[in-house]
């Protein structure tokens, strides 16, 4: 009898192992499982400052670097963590591999844990060094997170697969996040404008980041904020006002007839960033003075220039100082939103 039990156990084990072996996998998702930190987040760089690159093979040397990377490196910067959560959810939807869903939900736990009581998210958590603890809209860090939570709350973009318990958690986090967004929209003489790229986590006032990222109004990030707010069903009067005020600011401060380009000097063959005349193009500067709405440009020496041409060559040519970020928003997306929300 004992031999039969042992035999049955072995048969079941073999069958179970066979089932797992046949479970579809995704090579990138598998690597994301390896890179995930103990607190549930993901780094953008490893301990040795090498950039996370899922195209690289997991060599013993790379695995050693990943293993030595501390939880302090968990971040929302450069789409880290949000990128992985989104990818893993889609990989689970495609493969039904539970390991991917488990890792994604651990990432969601990290996202929820990192939110401040005032509704904002830092660039890094739990690292508080330098500007990493500031409420961070820069590079869409906070908005990427809020879009994930909105997908959970509305069961969109494959997020219907997550544990239903996350829906209420997401709704609460979104409400706090929107409250933070509304409170941080910059006012000039009582009039709402757009947003800064980052804010002091306690005072909720605009703050600087790197030397060349001064305290300022930030156009690229503000477009992302408006697009997120336009996703909200049955928006409150406060949300509607915030959206309309931002679009009004974008329209008033657009630079018509130019595009941002890097022209090549025919003699030196060096490319130099410049505004080039183009009557088909509309652009905005990346940063504007908080009070005057004039374009400003930060240099590595912490100085602020009023002309891009006055920057040191490395900074002039190493940053997106202008872009057409708001063009589609104000010409197509906002009118469509107005119609959908009974404003036209």
């Amino acid at each position: 009898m004992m031999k039969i039990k042992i035999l049955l156990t072995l048969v079941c084990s073999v069958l179970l192992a066979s089932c797992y072996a046949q479970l579809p996998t995704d090579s990138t998702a598998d690597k994301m499982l390896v890179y995930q930190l103990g607190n549930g987040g993901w780094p953008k760089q490893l301990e040795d400052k090498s950039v996370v690159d899922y195209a690289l093979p997991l060599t013993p040397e790379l695995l050693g670097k990943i293993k030595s990377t501390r939880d302090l490196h968990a971040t929302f910067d450069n789409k880290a963590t949000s990128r992985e959560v989104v990818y893993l959810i889609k990989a689970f939807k495609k493969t039904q591999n539970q390991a991917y869903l488990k890792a994604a939900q651990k990432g969601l736990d990290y996202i929820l844990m990192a939110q401040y009581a005032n509704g904002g998210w830092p660039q890094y958590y739990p690292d508080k060094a330098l500007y990493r603890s500031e409420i961070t809209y820069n590079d869409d860090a906070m908005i990427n997170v809020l879009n994930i939570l909105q997908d959970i709350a509305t069961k969109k973009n494959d997020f219907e697969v997550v544990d239903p318990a996350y829906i209420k958690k997401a709704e609460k986090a979104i409400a706090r996040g929107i409250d933070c967004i509304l409170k941080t929209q910059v006012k000039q003489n009582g009039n709402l404008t757009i947003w800064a790229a980052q804010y002091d986590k306690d005072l909720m006032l605009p703050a600087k980041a790197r030397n060349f990222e001064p305290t300022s109004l930030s156009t690229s990030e503000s477009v992302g904020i408006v697009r997120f707010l336009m996703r909200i069903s049955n928006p409150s009067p406060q949300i509607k006002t915030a959206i309309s005020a931002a679009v009004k600011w974008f329209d008033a401060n657009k630079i018509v007839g130019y595009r941002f380009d890097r022209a090549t000097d025919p003699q030196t063959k060096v490319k130099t960033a410049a505004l080039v005349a183009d009557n088909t193009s509309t652009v905005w500067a990346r940063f504007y003075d908080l009070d005057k709405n004039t374009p400003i440009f930060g240099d590595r020496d912490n100085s602020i220039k009023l002309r891009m041409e006055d920057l040191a060559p490395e900074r002039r040519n190493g940053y997106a100082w202008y872009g057409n970020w708001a063009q589609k928003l104000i010409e197509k997306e906002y009118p469509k939103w107005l119609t959908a929300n009974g404003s036209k």
Side-chain angles (χ1 to χ4, degrees):
M1 190 67 177
M2 181 62 70
K3 289 183 178 180
I4 293 174
K5 286 183 177 180
I6 293 173
L7 182 61
L8 286 172
T9 301
L10 287 171
V11 170
C12 289
S13 298
V14 170
L15 288 173
L16 190 61
S18 177
C19 287
Y20 279 118
Q22 294 173 19
L23 197 64
T25 59
D26 179 301
S27 60
T28 300
D30 287 340
K31 290 178 183 177
M32 288 178 174
L33 302 186
V34 175
Y35 276 92
Q36 189 171 27
L37 298 169
N39 58 10
W42 278 266
K44 70 170 186 177
Q45 292 180 331
L46 301 179
E47 196 74 34
D48 68 342
K49 298 189 183 303
S50 59
V51 177
V52 170
D53 183 354
Y54 292 114
L56 296 176
L58 292 175
T59 62
E61 181 185 6
L62 180 54
L63 286 169
K65 291 179 181 180
I66 295 170
K67 187 176 180 180
S68 68
T69 300
R70 296 168 295 162
D71 286 2
L72 279 176
H73 289 274
T75 182
F76 302 111
D77 193 29
N78 290 5
K79 298 183 179 180
T81 300
S82 56
R83 166 187 58 186
E84 284 83 1
V85 168
V86 169
Y87 191 96
L88 286 167
I89 287 295
K90 292 186 180 301
F92 169 73
K93 186 82 177 285
K94 182 174 64 176
T95 66
Q96 294 300 299
N97 190 321
Q98 288 289 329
Y100 302 157
L101 179 61
K102 183 179 179 181
Q105 292 185 162
K106 187 176 180 182
L108 293 177
D109 292 335
Y110 169 77
I111 285 172
L112 293 167
M113 177 173 58
Q115 188 180 27
Y116 291 138
N118 61 23
W121 270 270
Q123 185 187 54
Y124 280 72
Y125 179 83
D127 190 0
K128 298 183 185 300
L130 303 172
Y131 49 83
R132 293 180 173 184
S133 65
E134 292 173 353
I135 295 170
T136 304
Y137 298 123
N138 190 43
D139 291 335
D140 299 322
M142 179 167 156
I143 295 305
N144 288 336
V145 168
L146 280 168
N147 276 319
I148 286 174
L149 296 174
Q150 183 68 8
D151 285 341
I152 293 171
T154 56
K155 299 183 179 180
K156 297 283 181 65
N157 297 321
D158 299 325
F159 276 87
E160 74 279 359
V161 301
V162 304
D163 187 328
Y166 282 100
I167 294 175
K168 285 293 183 186
K169 295 177 183 179
E171 289 172 344
K172 290 179 180 179
I174 291 166
R176 290 197 298 269
I178 291 174
D179 186 56
C180 177
I181 288 172
L182 297 178
K183 286 179 178 176
T184 53
Q185 190 170 12
V186 176
K187 285 185 177 181
Q188 295 173 346
N189 300 317
N191 298 313
L192 291 170
T193 61
I194 56 173
W195 289 264
Q198 50 274 318
Y199 290 76
D200 182 279
K201 67 182 179 66
D202 299 312
L203 301 176
M204 299 182 78
L205 294 174
K208 71 182 292 292
R210 292 173 290 187
N211 283 353
F212 53 88
E213 294 171 328
T215 305
S216 60
L217 298 175
S218 183
T219 51
S220 174
E221 284 74 13
S222 293
V223 169
I225 293 170
V226 172
R227 283 182 172 143
F228 166 72
L229 291 177
M230 291 197 302
R231 291 190 64 188
I232 305 303
S233 299
N234 302 313
S236 67
Q238 292 84 358
I239 291 175
K240 289 182 177 181
T241 297
I243 292 170
S244 296
V247 170
K248 181 180 179 181
W249 186 94
F250 279 123
D251 194 46
N253 292 280
K254 61 189 177 184
I255 302 169
V256 180
Y258 290 90
R259 73 174 189 275
F260 182 58
D261 208 343
R262 286 176 170 80
T264 302
D265 186 297
Q267 301 297 324
T268 64
K269 305 300 181 184
V270 174
K271 290 186 176 181
T272 302
L275 277 183
V276 179
D278 183 345
N279 59 14
T280 67
S281 178
T282 298
V283 296
W284 288 261
R286 178 70 180 272
F287 302 124
Y288 285 77
D289 183 272
L290 282 169
D291 300 311
K292 301 175 183 177
N293 293 331
T294 52
I296 58 174
F297 308 87
D299 221 331
R300 284 203 184 272
D301 62 0
N302 209 25
S303 63
I304 295 176
K305 307 294 195 300
L306 299 181
R307 301 190 324 138
M308 178 181 63
E309 292 79 4
D310 295 332
L311 292 170
E314 182 273 334
R315 270 303 79 195
R316 175 176 176 175
N317 299 313
Y319 203 74
W321 294 111
Y322 292 91
N324 62 351
W325 301 293
Q327 187 167 3
K328 185 178 178 182
L329 173 70
I330 66 175
E331 292 179 359
K332 296 182 179 180
E333 296 169 4
Y334 178 63
K336 184 178 179 180
W337 176 84
L338 281 176
T339 301
N341 286 277
S343 299
K344 265 194 176 181

